[in-house]
């Protein structure tokens, strides 16, 4: 079987850890699907504008290989890992993803969507309309998923974090607040995730986002978290002129530190 992508998804999630887990539940992001020209896809898109949601089949293009079991982002009690075919894990024998996104509008060969959980530049395999009377089974049993505790944490920001995040958003494509909502809304105290460092005795922690570090304080009993500030993940020596710039963002960090240096 040969499958040829019909287009490409474009959005803010560039790295795997940027991607929301189940777009509608965990801060899915907006984006656009651009279909390939010269294939008569304009005609194929006719009448789609009247649908509020669409199914998008896509390729997990950043993955290599597959795994027979996976650790869910929200494990059920007593189930640290589940079988891949009982999960939405991207590490599958055939790297095909399925997502139900909200369709905002169709403009030519471009579909504007929201609540997406795709990575930037994901190849699109197919598009189908979501039909509630055929696709929705709200009373269906969902196995181990029914055992999940989806009691999400409340995440807020202080003035310092908002100023720093606004500055970073104005000078780059990074959105630190969106990332935190994806990563920490559930299970922020799970230190098995390598990007999180905690100091439980002080009720504070740091989560890494690319080359930035986001500081937060938390109240475990009230399940509340406040984002307090942003730090550079580079040392002064890393930021010296002429140093290797693997990610092409060191000037951004230099300007950030000049603006917010205490």
């Amino acid at each position: 079987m040969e499958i040829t992508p019909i287009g490409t998804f474009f959005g803010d999630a560039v790295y795997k850890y940027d991607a929301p887990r189940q777009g509608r539940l965990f801060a899915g992001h907006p984006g656009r699907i651009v279909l390939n020209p010269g294939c008569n896809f304009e005609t194929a898109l006719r009448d789609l504008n009247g649908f509020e949601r669409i199914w998008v089949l896509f390729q997990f293009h950043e993955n290599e290989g597959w795994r027979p079991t996976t650790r869910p982002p929200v494990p059920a009690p007593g189930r640290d890992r589940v079988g891949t075919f009982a999960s939405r894990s991207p590490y599958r024998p055939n790297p095909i993803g399925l997502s139900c996104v909200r369709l905002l509008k169709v403009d030519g060969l471009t579909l504007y969507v929201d609540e997406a959980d795709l990575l930037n530049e994901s190849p699109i395999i197919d598009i189908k309309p979501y039909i509630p009377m055929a696709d929705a089974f709200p009373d269906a049993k969902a196995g181990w998923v029914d055992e999940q505790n989806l009691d999400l944490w409340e995440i807020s920001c202080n003035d310092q974090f908002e100023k720093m995040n606004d500055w970073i958003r104005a000078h780059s494509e990074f959105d630190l607040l969106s990332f935190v909502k994806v990563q920490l809304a559930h299970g922020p105290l799970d230190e098995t995730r390598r990007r999180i460092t905690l100091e439980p005795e002080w009720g504070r922690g740091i989560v890494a986002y690319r080359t930035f570090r986001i500081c937060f304080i938390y109240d475990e009993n009230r399940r509340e978290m406040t984002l307090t500030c942003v730090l550079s993940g580079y040392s002064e020596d890393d930021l010296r002129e002429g140093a290797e710039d693997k990610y092409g963002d060191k000037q951004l960090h230099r300007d950030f530190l000049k603006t917010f240096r205490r």
Side-chain angles (χ1 to χ4, degrees), residues 21-261:
R21 283 80 175 252
Q22 309 301 322
R24 184 165 178 250
L25 289 178
F26 299 112
H29 56 84
R32 69 188 194 280
I33 296 169
V34 180
L35 300 186
N36 300 333
C39 301
N40 200 22
F41 290 153
E42 295 91 342
T43 304
L45 287 171
R46 192 179 66 195
D47 306 313
L48 189 62
N49 253 325
F51 289 88
E52 183 176 344
R53 290 189 172 274
I54 56 174
W55 292 106
V56 178
L57 281 78
F58 61 95
Q59 179 187 1
F60 291 117
H61 65 299
E62 294 288 343
N63 290 354
E64 296 180 1
W66 73 284
R67 304 167 185 170
T69 65
T70 187
R71 187 175 189 275
V74 186
R79 295 178 185 265
D80 184 61
R81 303 189 70 84
V82 300
T84 292
F85 292 146
S87 78
R88 300 289 185 91
S89 167
Y91 297 97
R92 319 190 72 81
N94 292 304
I96 297 174
L98 173 67
S99 187
C100 187
V101 305
R102 188 156 62 92
L103 178 63
L104 302 179
K105 68 174 181 177
V106 179
D107 184 6
L109 288 173
T110 300
L111 292 78
Y112 293 88
V113 301
D114 201 354
E115 299 178 10
D117 55 0
L118 288 72
L119 288 182
N120 186 52
E121 297 188 352
S122 291
I124 302 301
I125 297 172
D126 199 5
I127 295 168
K128 304 176 188 292
Y130 173 86
I131 303 174
M133 68 177 182
D135 297 341
F137 301 91
D139 298 326
K141 293 181 179 180
W144 63 268
V145 176
D146 288 337
E147 303 169 16
Q148 287 179 317
N149 176 9
L150 292 178
D151 185 12
L152 303 183
W153 281 54
E154 181 179 338
I155 297 176
S156 60
C157 316
N158 67 7
D159 290 342
Q160 179 74 350
F161 175 85
E162 286 188 351
K163 291 176 182 177
M164 290 178 161
N165 187 50
D166 287 347
W167 188 94
I168 293 170
R169 289 196 67 185
H171 293 82
S172 72
E173 76 278 13
F174 304 155
D175 185 348
L176 279 62
L177 179 57
S178 177
F179 167 80
V180 169
K181 288 181 177 179
V182 169
Q183 294 293 323
L184 301 184
H186 185 94
L189 308 187
D190 181 2
E191 289 189 274
T192 63
R193 290 189 282 178
R194 292 174 295 174
R195 308 193 68 81
I196 299 174
T197 303
L198 297 176
E199 295 181 342
E201 65 275 21
W202 301 105
R204 65 191 182 193
I206 295 176
V207 58
Y209 173 74
R210 303 192 188 184
T211 50
F212 286 99
R213 304 294 179 263
I214 303 166
C215 301
F216 61 88
I217 57 176
Y218 63 90
D219 185 324
E220 186 172 3
N221 293 327
R222 301 177 66 175
R223 301 181 72 81
E224 294 177 351
M225 174 187 301
T226 301
L227 310 181
T228 57
C229 68
V230 181
L231 306 175
S232 172
Y234 290 121
S235 67
E236 289 188 11
D237 190 52
D238 292 333
L239 293 176
R240 73 181 188 280
E241 294 294 336
E244 181 186 5
D245 193 358
K246 179 179 178 181
Y247 300 107
D249 64 353
K250 288 192 174 180
Q251 189 56 50
L252 173 69
H253 281 257
R254 295 185 189 104
D255 295 341
F256 171 77
L257 291 174
K258 287 179 183 178
T259 303
F260 295 100
R261 189 178 298 278

